[in-house]
Amino acid sequence: MRLTQFSDFALRLLIHIASHPDRRTTIAEAAQVYGISRHHLMKVAHRLALAGLVKPSRGRNGGLNLARPAEAISLGDVLRATEPDFALVGCMAGHACPIVTTCRLPAALDAAMASFLATADQHMLAGFVGPPASAPLQSG
């Protein structure tokens, strides 16, 4: 499985916003920090706002804040908002398949996706903010 660039950008934007809880983050600022198209990041922010993950404000001092604490936003929340079609094989996306009446693959993939999202739900945005965990010391 591979997540879309849209999800990657959404996670970067949320991490950036969570890293600056004392102020609003502008699209222009985040776009410059990450080297992302401002236009594309606006679409990402819009989707995150519709999902209730960010709270936009307009005007001179406008920008984005988290809609709820970083401790209350899970990776699963973000992925559900940004990956609306988790169809892993064609038949799951509604494509015709000649063996659909005898194939049990979609059920197995649905179970795997449920496990993936259950694990993603255990990881909160707050855990992605801050200095990276130090690497364990290598013994010689």
Side-chain angles (χ1 to χ4, degrees), residues 32-76:
Q32 182 177 12
V33 166
Y34 291 117
I36 300 171
S37 157
R38 187 175 167 272
H39 179 72
H40 194 63
L41 206 52
M42 285 176 63
K43 291 179 185 180
V44 170
H46 179 71
R47 175 92 53 91
L48 293 174
L50 290 175
L53 300 175
V54 298
K55 184 172 45 176
S57 57
R58 295 179 181 253
R60 181 178 174 161
N61 295 318
L64 301 168
N65 286 104
L66 296 178
R68 52 188 198 248
E71 296 81 8
I73 298 174
S74 74
L75 176 58

Side-chain angles (χ1 to χ4, degrees), residues 83-136:
E83 298 283 343
D85 183 19
F86 271 124
L88 299 177
V89 291
C91 63
M92 293 175 79
H95 299 218
C97 178
I99 60 170
V100 70
T101 58
T102 60
C103 181
R104 304 289 183 257
L105 181 60
L109 292 175
D110 279 341
M113 184 56 61
S115 294
F116 172 77
L117 289 172
T119 299
D121 286 336
Q122 296 174 16
H123 297 275
M124 304 313 241
L125 177 61
F128 305 137
V129 177
S134 29

